[in-house]
Amino acid sequence: MADVVIGIDIGGTITKFGLMTATGKVVFHDNMPTTGFSGFDEYFKALTDKLSLACKKTASQVLGVGVGAPMGNFIEGSIDMATNLGWGKKVPVAGRFSEFFNKPAYLVNDATAAAIGEKTFGLAKKMDDFLLITLGTGLGCGIYVNGKLLHGKHGYAGELGHVTVIPEGRKCNCGRLGCLETYVSASGVMKSVREFKTKKGFENSVLHDEAAYPDSKAVARAAANGDPLAEYIFEFTGEVLASSLANVIAMFNPEAIIFSGGLANAGSLLIGPLEQFLSRKVLHNLRGKTKIYVSKLDSEKIAVLGAASYAWQMIEEHSHNKSLVV
Ligand SMILES: [Zn+2]
């Protein structure tokens, strides 16, 4: 029997999971839909059925569970009112997994899990101060300061997606106006398409054909082909992002900001304008100091790897503390 921990990344539509050894070897990886269940209990049963089967197939012994999820609260071990999941108030996710496997279970925010993945396996291996920003349906952020994760007093640190970037701007799922993720995310890009396509000069843009260009990936393709509206949208998105990151850089003085997720795959289409606007907006003594990267890790696996690594770290810390007491 090989000792493993389970890593789980609960996304709005897909849940990814895997089994990882202490040396970081992934012995099993799969996914299933997050939606289509009557509630958390039915979802939990389907997921634990799959995990139990995977453990049996791979002859693995589970030592712990690490979970990354939107609105995942590390301190309480619960997911609270995640807008896309619809599971209601305070679902005790860590407690349920711990009970089921009779082993310790840990819950972190999904972007925090991705940051742990980047720190353990990616570009941030040797960095003590960096931010990992996930650009998916929304915008998430995991923060390392002085080599340690920043959780905050109540476990909600890193909600960069809900920092106000344009006062009285677009309406956000959180109920507020002008949040960063309503501009800088896959869904934010599509909002920009709808907002700007009626502007003068964009009458002939291919983006008017919504069936052919239904998502941010297609908008990136149009921009790469020189469509003026698509190019304008990436320029605009880069500028809005730069405004927020100039504040973030002034606050945290990070060595790097690393992007992961679907929209990050647009690469230089987004990073180009971002760096250009950042060089103007950042406080003069910090100018050019923070490096901007796109993660090289598979964005499909980064949070699973991070959640599993976190569980290993916590298990090792715990056994170390125990031996100190003895
Ligand atoms: Zn918001």
Side-chain angles (χ1 to χ4, degrees), residues 161-162 172-176 179 181-182:
H162 300 285
C172 183
N173 282 339
C174 74
R176 299 157 70 247
C179 290
E181 76 171 24
T182 66

